[in-house]
Amino acid sequence: MLCIAHCLALPALVAFVPTAALLADAEWLHVALVIAAAPATLWTVSRALRSGSAPLIVAGGAIGLALLMYAAFVETPHETLLTTLGALVLIAVHARSWFLRRPPQRDLAAQ
């Protein structure tokens, strides 16, 4: 959830508050956000591992977190691309995990 909030809120914040643009380039902020996102990702992946029914969630969580960590901790000219891809993968994994946990909806019109 933190990843989703960061990815959606930071561009809007930068657009409306010019001083927030200074934080967008702060390397320490990116590292802090990856460190904050890691427990949530690991928790989601561990739940999927325990259920044994969601190998795509496990693989996606590992790939997304690895992309974010690589972009945050390794100097690369593709930092923005890797960060964006990692965040999109984690958003998809969290959404898929959420849909798998929801109880099936009954169609009341069919009754």
Side-chain angles (χ1 to χ4, degrees), residues 42-58:
L42 294 173
W43 180 71
T44 299
V45 168
S46 70
R47 286 183 60 175
L49 276 173
R50 278 183 273 157
S51 72
S53 62
L56 287 177
I57 290 175
V58 174

Side-chain angles (χ1 to χ4, degrees), residues 4 7 13 15-16 19 24 27 31-32 49 51 69 71 74 77 82-83 93-94 98 109:
I4 295 169
C7 293
L13 184 64
F16 293 113
T19 55
E27 192 61 36
V31 171
L49 276 173
S51 72
M69 292 182 81
V74 176
L82 294 173
T83 301
V93 165
H94 284 296
W98 184 75

Side-chain angles (χ1 to χ4, degrees), residues 6-7 10 23-34 64-88:
H6 167 255
C7 293
L10 190 59
L23 289 176
D25 289 332
E27 192 61 36
W28 65 267
L29 179 62
H30 291 161
V31 171
L33 288 170
V34 168
L65 186 59
L67 287 169
L68 287 179
M69 292 182 81
Y70 187 82
F73 296 112
V74 176
E75 191 67 33
T76 175
H78 306 294
E79 179 182 353
T80 303
L81 175 65
L82 294 173
T83 301
T84 303
L85 287 175
L88 289 173

